[in-house]
C-alpha cells in the first residue's frame, strides 16, 4: 500500500486507504472482520519504518472467537526517551448492508454509489452532496473505515518525521465494536502489559469514531472528551397461568411486562439531566412472553430488557430507581386485577375465591441471597444451565439462568426479578478533580481554538460521545462498592461477559473522540465529508498529540504532574 500512496498528499492518502477498507466486507460477527484486520496489518508492514521494525507490528487473537477475529497493534517510538504515549484507536467492523436493498451489490463500491445518488431525486440533500464531489459514500465510509485511515496516515507521517514526536504513538484497531466489544476488552491486557514491560505512560487515547450534525444546518464539529456507558437492565417476569376460560384468576406476565415498559420506555424523566449534553432516555429493545406455541393458556412468564445509557450515574443508582418503578407498576397491576375480579364475581354472582394478586419485586442479588439462605447451590444451578444452553446468545442465556433460579422457589410466587445482562460499558470522562484530565481539556481547547482561526471551522466540546464507543473500556470511575452492585446482579458475569474490571481501573486512560465528520451513519446513505475528515481533522489530531506529549514531558520534569 505504501508504494501506492507515498507520493500522494495526506488527504489523498487517507481517501485511498478509506476506499480500500470500504471494499472489504467487514460486517460485525463475520470473517470479514478478520480480513480487514489482515489488510490493516499489511498496510502497516508496508511502511518503511515498520519494515525495519517488524516486531513493532503485531496482532492479538480474540480468545475463543469462531470468526478468528483479532486486534492489530503498532508501536512507534519517538526520538526522545520519553515513555509518554498517545493511543490512536478505532474499530474496524461495520454493520450489515441489507439496508441498501437493490443496491446491496454496490454497498462497498463508493464510485457506483456516488453515481447513483447524483440522480437520486427523492432526497435533495443526498443528491447535492453526491454532485459536490466532497463526500465519499459506502458502508463503513463514516463508521468508521475513514477513521482508521486517518490514524494510519498520521502514523505514517510520524514514521517519516520522528523528530517531531516527543513521545510514542500506539496504533490499535479493534473488532466487534458494533456488538459485544470483545476486541477492546481483549486489548486491555495488552495495554497493561505494555505499561509493565515497556514502561509506557498512556497520556490519552484518541478515537476517530464519527461525528455528525445534531440538527438541520448544524455548523458545529463536535469533540467529545468522554464516552457514555451502557447497562442492559433486564426483567424476568413470572406470573400465574390460567386457562382462558378462567382468565380472571390468573396473573398475566404480559400485563406486568407492559406496565413496566410503559413506565420506562423512552421516559425522559429517567434521563440524567446534564447541561449541554445530548442525554438519551432508556429504550426497550426486547419484550416477549416465553410461550413456544399456540395454546389457550395465558403467558406464565415474560422477558423484557432495555438499553439504558449511563453518563455519571452508577449501576447501583439505576437498580434502585428501576426497583421503585417496577414496584409501582406491580402495585397498579395488583389493584387492577383485584378490581376486575371483584367486578366479575359481582356480575356473575359466583362466590369469590381467596386469591392473592401480589407480585413480588426483587433484584437478582437479593433473590440469590434468599435462595442461599435456603441452602440452594446457586452457582451449580447456573453452571448447569450454561452447559445445557451453550447454543444461546448471551442475553437469552442470562434469562435462562434467572428462570432456572425462579423455578427453585418452592412457593412459585409471582415475581419480577431485575438483573443486568450483556453488554455493559463503563462511562469514561475527564474528572474535574484530576490535574491530568483538566490539563488534557485545556490542551484540546487550545488546539481547537487555533484550528478554528486557521480553518474557519466551528468547534464545540462536549463531555459525552452520544453513541457507544470502545473508549468506554479504557477507564473506570465507579468505586468497588458501586461496581459490586453490577457484579452481583449480573448472572455469571465472569462466564457470559468477562470484563477485566481491575485491569481497566489500573489502565485508567481517558479517551477523547476527534471523529471523522459525515452524515447518516448506519444508513444506506452513509457518507463522510472529505474536506474536513481527510484534511483538517488529521492535522488537528497531530497538533493535539504533539502538544499533549510535549506538555506532559515538561510538567513531569518539573514534578508538577505524575
Amino acid at each position: 500500500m505504501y508504494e501506492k500512496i507515498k507520493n500522494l498528499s495526506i488527504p489523498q492518502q487517507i481517501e485511498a486507504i478509506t476506499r480500500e477498507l470500504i471494499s472489504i466486507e467487514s460486517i460485525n460477527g463475520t470473517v470479514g472482520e478478520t480480513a480487514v484486520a489482515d489488510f490493516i496489518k499489511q498496510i502497516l508492514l508496508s511502511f518503511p519504518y515498520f519494515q525495519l521494525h517488524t516486531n513493532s507490528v503485531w496482532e492479538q487473537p480474540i480468545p475463543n472467537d469462531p470468526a478468528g477475529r483479532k486486534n492489530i497493534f503498532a508501536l512507534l517510538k519517538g526520538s526522545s526517551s520519553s515513555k509518554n504515549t498517545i493511543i490512536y484507536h478505532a474499530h474496524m467492523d461495520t454493520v450489515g448492508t441489507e439496508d441498501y436493498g437493490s443496491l446491496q451489490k454496490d454497498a462497498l463500491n463508493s464510485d457506483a454509489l456516488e453515481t447513483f445518488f447524483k440522480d437520486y431525486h427523492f432526497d435533495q440533500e443526498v443528491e447535492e452532496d453526491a454532485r459536490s464531489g466532497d463526500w465519499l459514500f459506502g458502508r463503513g465510509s463514516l463508521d468508521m473505515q475513514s477513521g482508521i485511515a486517518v490514524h494510519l496516515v498520521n502514523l505514517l507521517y510520524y514514521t517519516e518525521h520522528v523528530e517531531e514526536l516527543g513521545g510514542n504513538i500506539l496504533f490499535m484497531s479493534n473488532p466487534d465494536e458494533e456488538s459485544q466489544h470483545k476486541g477492546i476488552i481483549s486489548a486491555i491486557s495488552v495495554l497493561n502489559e505494555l505499561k509493565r514491560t515497556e514502561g509506557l505512560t498512556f497520556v490519552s487515547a484518541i478515537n476517530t469514531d464519527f461525528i455528525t450534525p445534531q440538527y438541520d444546518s448544524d455548523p458545529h464539529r463536535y469533540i467529545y472528551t468522554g464516552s457514555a456507558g451502557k447497562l442492559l437492565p433486564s426483567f424476568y417476569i413470572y406470573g400465574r397461568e390460567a386457562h382462558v376460560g378462567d382468565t380472571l384468576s390468573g396473573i398475566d406476565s404480559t400485563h406486568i411486562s407492559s406496565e413496566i415498559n410503559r413506565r420506562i420506555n423512552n421516559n425522559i424523566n429517567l434521563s440524567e439531566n446534564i447541561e449541554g449534553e445530548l442525554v438519551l432516555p432508556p429504550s426497550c429493545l426486547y419484550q416477549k412472553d416465553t410461550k413456544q406455541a399456540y395454546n389457550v393458556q395465558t403467558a406464565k412468564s415474560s422477558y423484557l430488557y432495555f438499553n439504558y445509557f449511563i453518563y455519571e450515574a452508577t449501576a447501583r443508582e439505576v437498580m434502585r430507581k428501576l426497583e421503585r418503578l417496577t414496584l409501582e407498576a406491580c402495585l397498579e397491576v395488583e389493584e387492577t386485577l383485584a378490581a376486575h375480579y371483584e367486578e366479575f364475581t359481582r356480575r356473575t354472582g359466583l362466590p369469590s375465591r381467596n386469591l392473592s394478586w401480589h407480585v413480588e419485586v426483587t433484584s437478582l442479588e437479593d433473590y440469590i441471597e434468599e435462595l442461599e439462605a435456603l441452602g440452594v447451590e446457586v452457582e451449580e444451578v447456573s453452571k448447569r444451565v450454561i452447559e445445557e444452553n451453550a447454543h444461546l446468545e448471551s442475553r437469552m442465556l442470562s434469562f435462562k439462568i434467572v428462570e432456572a433460579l425462579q423455578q427453585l422457589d418452592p412457593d412459585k410466587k409471582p415475581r419480577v426479578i431485575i438483573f443486568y445482562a450483556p453488554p455493559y460499558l463503563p462511562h469514561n470522562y475527564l474528572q474535574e478533580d484530576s490535574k491530568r484530565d483538566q490539563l488534557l481539556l485545556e490542551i484540546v481547547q487550545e488546539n481547537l481554538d487555533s484550528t478554528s482561526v486557521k480553518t474557519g471551522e466551528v468547534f464545540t466540546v462536549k463531555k459525552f460521545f452520544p453513541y457507544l464507543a470502545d473508549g468506554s473500556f479504557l477507564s473506570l470511575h465507579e468505586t468497588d462498592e458501586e461496581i459490586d452492585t453490577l457484579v452481583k446482579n449480573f448472572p455469571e458475569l465472569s462466564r457470559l461477559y468477562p470484563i477485566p474490571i481491575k485491569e481497566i481501573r489500573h489502565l485508567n486512560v481517558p479517551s477523547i473522540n476527534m471523529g471523522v465528520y459525515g452524515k447518516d451513519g448506519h444508513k444506506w446513505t452513509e457518507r463522510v465529508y472529505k474536506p474536513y475528515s481527510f484534511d483538517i481533522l488529521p492535522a488537528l489530531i497531530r497538533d493535539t498529540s504533539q502538544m499533549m506529549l510535549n506538555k506532559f514531558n515538561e510538567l513531569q520534569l518539573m514534578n508538577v504532574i505524575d
Side-chain angles (χ1 to χ4, degrees):
M1 190 70 192
Y2 175 75
E3 289 299 321
K4 182 177 179 180
I5 66 172
K6 65 180 181 180
N7 295 320
L8 301 177
S9 66
I10 283 179
Q12 289 171 334
Q13 289 177 338
I14 294 172
E15 180 170 351
I17 292 177
T18 300
R19 287 176 175 273
E20 293 284 352
L21 291 170
I22 291 172
S23 70
I24 301 171
E25 191 176 57
S26 51
I27 296 171
N28 178 269
T30 71
V31 294
E33 288 189 79
T34 307
V36 76
D38 290 337
F39 182 66
I40 290 169
K41 187 178 179 183
Q42 289 173 17
I43 294 174
L44 290 165
L45 289 172
S46 75
F47 296 171
Y49 175 91
F50 291 119
Q51 288 183 350
L52 295 174
H53 303 83
T54 55
N55 289 337
S56 294
V57 177
W58 71 99
E59 62 185 49
Q60 177 203 21
I62 308 304
N64 305 312
D65 190 73
R69 294 176 295 184
K70 60 188 78 173
N71 292 316
I72 302 296
F73 297 89
L75 178 61
L76 170 63
K77 294 185 177 181
S79 58
S80 73
S81 59
S82 172
K83 297 294 185 180
N84 286 330
T85 304
I86 306 292
I87 300 172
Y88 286 174
H89 71 110
H91 73 83
M92 52 189 155
D93 58 319
T94 69
V95 294
T97 58
E98 296 82 3
D99 54 326
Y100 283 82
S102 62
L103 280 180
Q104 187 172 12
K105 63 180 177 55
D106 291 324
L108 310 180
N109 186 331
S110 297
D111 289 336
L113 290 172
E114 181 179 320
T115 299
F116 174 82
F117 285 120
K118 281 181 178 178
D119 294 312
Y120 188 67
H121 307 312
F122 298 100
D123 190 321
Q124 184 178 356
E125 184 178 357
V126 174
E127 183 180 11
E128 289 176 356
D129 287 349
R131 289 179 177 272
S132 73
D134 287 336
W135 298 80
L136 187 67
F137 289 79
R139 174 60 76 233
S141 57
L142 181 62
D143 188 19
M144 65 170 299
Q145 308 301 13
S146 54
I148 296 175
V150 168
H151 279 334
L152 286 170
V153 171
N154 271 346
L155 189 64
L156 173 59
Y157 174 88
Y158 281 127
T159 64
E160 297 171 341
H161 303 82
V162 179
E163 72 283 354
E164 297 182 16
L165 204 54
N168 313 305
I169 300 293
L170 177 67
F171 169 86
M172 174 176 68
S173 62
N174 310 105
D176 197 35
E177 191 268 355
E178 300 290 359
S179 182
Q180 298 289 90
H181 304 272
K182 290 181 179 178
I184 189 65
I185 292 172
S186 300
I188 301 302
S189 61
V190 173
L191 298 177
N192 275 320
E193 182 69 8
L194 287 170
K195 287 180 66 174
R196 188 181 68 82
T197 59
E198 298 282 345
L200 301 184
T201 297
F202 294 122
V203 172
S204 177
I206 296 179
N207 191 8
T208 46
D209 216 336
F210 78 94
I211 62 172
T212 196
Q214 292 186 1
Y215 54 88
D216 290 344
S217 302
D218 183 358
H220 299 94
R221 305 290 185 252
Y222 294 98
I223 304 298
Y224 299 96
T225 60
S227 301
K230 170 179 172 168
L231 296 166
L232 198 81
S234 304
F235 300 75
Y236 176 74
I237 302 158
Y238 185 83
R240 182 170 68 228
E241 71 275 23
H243 188 283
V244 293
D246 191 26
T247 182
L248 289 168
S249 69
I251 298 178
D252 188 345
S253 66
T254 66
H255 187 169
I256 302 169
S257 175
S258 298
E259 195 58 45
I260 295 171
N261 194 5
R262 187 179 71 82
R263 279 174 160 76
I264 297 175
N265 191 21
N266 288 329
N267 183 352
I268 196 67
N269 293 319
L270 292 177
S271 302
E272 297 170 54
N273 191 7
I274 305 173
E275 185 177 356
E277 296 296 317
L278 180 61
V279 176
L280 297 167
S283 52
C284 181
L285 294 181
Y286 191 89
Q287 182 179 24
K288 193 176 186 299
D289 65 60
T290 59
K291 292 179 68 170
Q292 299 298 312
Y294 170 81
N295 59 41
V296 290
Q297 184 185 63
T298 59
K300 179 169 60 177
S301 58
S302 293
Y303 296 168
L304 175 68
Y305 62 69
F306 297 86
N307 182 89
Y308 202 116
F309 288 112
I310 51 173
Y311 301 87
E312 295 174 345
T314 67
R316 167 186 281 186
E317 293 167 343
V318 172
M319 178 59 75
R320 299 296 170 258
K321 190 178 293 186
L322 294 179
E323 283 182 300
R324 176 179 56 79
L325 284 172
T326 304
L327 184 60
E328 291 174 0
C330 289
L331 285 172
E332 182 159 327
V333 169
E334 291 172 28
E335 292 172 1
T336 300
L337 293 178
H340 286 172
Y341 185 72
E342 182 179 351
E343 176 63 14
F344 171 71
T345 56
R346 186 191 68 78
R347 290 186 182 189
T348 60
L350 294 172
S352 61
R353 288 178 280 175
N354 185 24
L355 295 173
S356 170
W357 310 107
H358 179 64
V359 180
E360 184 176 294
V361 176
T362 180
S363 67
L364 179 63
E365 176 184 1
D366 290 343
Y367 183 58
I368 286 175
E369 286 184 6
E370 287 183 34
L371 293 178
E372 289 178 339
L374 296 173
V376 175
E377 295 291 338
V378 171
E379 190 169 338
E380 289 300 314
V381 173
S382 300
K383 182 179 178 181
R384 188 191 73 246
V385 172
I386 291 174
E387 290 172 351
E388 293 175 353
N389 297 275
H391 62 287
L392 294 179
E393 57 99 32
S394 57
R395 280 149 295 279
M396 290 301 104
L397 194 46
S398 298
F399 274 106
K400 285 294 183 184
I401 292 170
V402 176
E403 186 173 53
L405 295 178
Q406 163 63 21
Q407 293 302 313
L408 298 174
D409 172 21
D411 297 327
K412 298 291 187 291
K413 290 184 288 188
R415 175 183 281 121
V416 178
I417 302 176
I418 310 172
F419 62 98
Y420 291 123
Y424 159 70
L425 282 77
H427 40 206
N428 182 3
Y429 55 94
L430 298 182
Q431 303 290 292
E432 293 182 1
D433 58 354
S434 166
K435 289 182 180 179
R436 177 199 66 174
D437 289 4
Q438 290 309 299
L439 176 58
L440 290 172
L441 183 58
E442 291 171 10
I443 291 170
V444 168
Q445 189 63 64
E446 183 174 340
N447 278 281
L448 294 179
D449 291 344
S450 61
T451 301
S452 182
V453 170
K454 288 184 289 187
T455 65
E457 295 286 354
V458 180
F459 292 99
T460 295
V461 177
K462 297 283 189 179
K463 193 171 183 178
F464 295 102
F465 184 64
Y467 316 108
L468 300 175
D470 278 343
S472 288
F473 291 95
L474 297 179
S475 187
L476 187 69
H477 300 312
E478 285 88 347
T479 65
D480 288 340
E481 190 176 37
E482 289 166 339
I483 283 293
D484 200 44
T485 297
L486 172 77
V487 173
K488 290 182 176 178
N489 284 291
F490 205 121
E492 294 300 309
L493 175 64
S494 61
R495 292 189 180 99
L496 298 188
Y497 195 66
I499 295 206
I501 289 172
K502 291 182 180 178
E503 290 82 357
I504 294 174
R505 193 187 299 283
H506 177 69
L507 187 61
N508 189 27
V509 181
S511 180
I512 295 168
N513 195 85
M514 295 181 163
V516 293
Y517 176 82
K519 299 174 185 175
D520 296 350
H522 289 205
K523 298 181 181 179
W524 71 301
T525 49
E526 175 181 357
R527 58 203 184 277
V528 63
Y529 184 56
K530 295 189 288 185
Y532 175 81
S533 304
F534 296 172
D535 190 5
I536 295 171
L537 176 65
L540 172 63
I541 291 175
R542 290 196 306 274
D543 291 344
T544 303
S545 301
Q546 289 168 208
M547 184 177 287
M548 284 180 179
L549 292 172
N550 293 336
K551 194 69 174 178
F552 273 73
N553 289 340
E554 175 188 337
L555 293 178
Q556 284 170 348
L557 287 173
M558 297 168 59
N559 293 319
V560 174
I561 195 167
D562 293 334

